[in-house]
Amino acid sequence: MSILAVGTTAFDSVETPFGNAERILGGSATYLSLASRYFSDDVRLVGVVGHDFPDEYVELLRERGIDLEGLEVDEDRETFFWKGRYHDNLSIGERDTLETRLGVVETFDPALPESYRDSDIVALGNLDPEIQRYVLQQVEAPELVICDTMNFWIESALESLRETLDQVDCLVINDTEARQLSGEPNLIAAAAAVRAMGPERLVIKKGEHGALYFDDEGVFSVPAYPMENVHDPTGAGDTFAGGLAGFLDAQKALTRENVKRGIVYGSALSSFVIEDFGPDRLLDLPNEEILERARAFRRLSEIPDLEPAYSA
Ligand code: AMP
């Protein structure tokens, strides 16, 4: 099986209450591919960088087995740049975007390499929804299309985003985005409205409060790992989606049980990535550590048998 990881390969500058980082490696395709490669040995990246992107970052991805045939270099423009600031609660939903410079993304028109067209799972990371659709058109028969988006595109390209959503099987967004996209303040109502836009499956991430998964059979809830040391939440969403995509890529069947397991692995990987700035924690995690964290999620929500104890 194989995964197509589509998105930005970026420079990020982040400000958190714990310090700042300038122009570090970021981007949705970066986090997606670095997370999914823990489970899938065929991760194909689609992205674009500018003349200023260092070879060392390209090597970092290549050394981890990510196929970079679909990474274009646009010598005339600058790499996508994003700058964000987190408040004391470190919430992704409440972070401020201080600057977004599209650079190479503005004219990105990805023609998929021939070898990418048979990809099984397409993971559409944050990117212009029109480009997401254009990539999708070129994949022959994907078994699953997972998609992430963010406030920037909801605000600037809503109609185009809705066209993309119509072709998506599983959407992964945070609670703020779900409310913004649907116009519904209540999350359950928001989930129904978003699913009516196309995605049969929907994950709503709630940061330190875990995530909810909705499909035709109902709702599944996963907790967040209780963490004392969160340094930079950037990339948590893409890491979650990458972990889910990677896990499902490694399974024989797309059953509900496997989706639930994938959600736990996605949550486990994103709990690691937020421990440090940028994707550092995601670079060389031992498999046993990932498994141990996933098991910790299971223990966290084990509820013993319930015996009624009413007074009357
Ligand atoms: P997340 O924290 O999971 O929402 O993703 C953050 C990553 O998305 C950062 O590494 C940014 O480089 C990237 N990013 C930020 N804004 C955008 C945007 N408008 N389009 C695509 N990628 C973005």
Side-chain angles (χ1 to χ4, degrees):
M1 298 276 283
S2 53
I3 298 187
L4 197 66
V6 186
T8 44
T9 22
F11 287 127
D12 285 352
S13 288
V14 287
E15 293 178 12
T16 80
F18 302 101
N20 303 343
E22 293 289 328
R23 287 175 73 80
I24 54 173
L25 174 62
S28 49
T30 304
Y31 286 104
L32 270 177
S33 53
L34 285 173
S36 53
R37 63 111 194 171
Y38 281 104
F39 305 100
S40 169
D41 53 16
D42 191 351
V43 179
R44 308 157 174 188
L45 186 144
V46 179
V48 59
V49 294
H51 57 79
D52 49 355
F53 199 69
D55 290 344
E56 139 202 7
Y57 287 167
V58 176
E59 276 320 300
L60 178 152
L61 296 168
R62 198 188 310 280
E63 279 165 10
R64 282 162 186 80
I66 295 159
D67 185 340
L68 298 178
E69 202 188 330
L71 179 65
E72 278 178 35
V73 183
D74 179 343
E75 295 290 354
D76 298 327
R77 286 171 182 262
E78 289 186 350
T79 298
F80 177 91
F81 172 76
W82 176 80
K83 181 171 185 174
R85 179 189 291 145
Y86 293 89
H87 302 282
D88 282 349
N89 63 5
L90 288 176
S91 155
I92 286 197
E94 291 171 37
R95 74 183 166 198
D96 299 322
T97 287
L98 302 178
E99 203 176 335
T100 302
R101 269 190 260 145
L102 294 176
V104 286
V105 167
E106 223 156 356
T107 46
F108 187 37
D109 198 14
L112 282 200
E114 203 48 49
S115 62
Y116 279 21
R117 289 177 187 263
D118 64 354
S119 300
D120 296 300
I121 294 188
V122 181
L124 299 172
N126 261 311
L127 194 61
D128 184 332
E130 193 181 334
I131 305 178
Q132 291 178 323
R133 259 191 333 274
Y134 182 55
V135 169
L136 216 44
Q137 272 169 23
Q138 300 172 64
V139 186
E140 283 155 10
E143 283 180 24
L144 182 72
V145 178
I146 297 182
C147 179
D148 187 2
T149 191
M150 66 193 286
N151 51 0
F152 183 90
W153 302 111
I154 300 175
E155 285 155 21
S156 67
L158 185 61
E159 275 319 303
S160 176
L161 176 62
R162 290 198 59 158
E163 264 184 66
T164 298
L165 290 185
D166 202 33
Q167 301 171 40
V168 164
D169 302 309
C170 180
L171 180 68
V172 180
I173 48 179
N174 67 40
D175 45 0
T176 316
E177 291 156 353
R179 292 191 171 100
Q180 199 178 6
L181 183 58
S182 63
E184 292 279 356
N186 176 284
L187 264 197
I188 310 302
V194 172
R195 289 185 63 224
M197 296 175 193
E200 184 190 330
R201 305 167 191 272
L202 170 68
V203 179
I204 299 185
K205 297 161 292 167
K206 299 183 294 164
E208 62 182 329
H209 305 297
L212 294 172
Y213 166 71
F214 300 84
D215 64 12
D216 284 343
E217 287 176 60
V219 191
F220 168 66
S221 168
V222 66
Y225 189 70
M227 312 231 346
E228 209 173 333
N229 290 318
V230 179
H231 283 110
D232 172 19
T234 308
D238 306 302
T239 300
F240 177 98
L244 172 63
F247 181 81
L248 290 174
D249 189 58
Q251 309 309 309
K252 286 202 183 69
L254 187 70
T255 60
R256 191 165 200 260
E257 295 293 283
N258 281 338
V259 173
K260 287 184 184 178
R261 292 184 183 106
I263 286 172
V264 171
Y265 277 107
S267 305
L269 284 177
S270 44
S271 74
F272 284 114
V273 81
I274 65 181
E275 288 175 351
D276 211 339
F277 282 87
D280 279 13
R281 278 296 272 145
L282 212 51
L283 298 182
D284 299 300
L285 276 171
N287 291 341
E288 309 79 63
E289 254 190 84
I290 300 173
L291 179 61
E292 194 34 57
R293 182 76 49 105
R295 287 185 173 141
F297 271 84
R298 196 150 187 245
R299 289 193 296 273
L300 257 179
S301 37
E302 240 162 22
I303 299 173
D305 286 347
L306 297 174
E307 297 301 331
Y310 310 115
S311 64

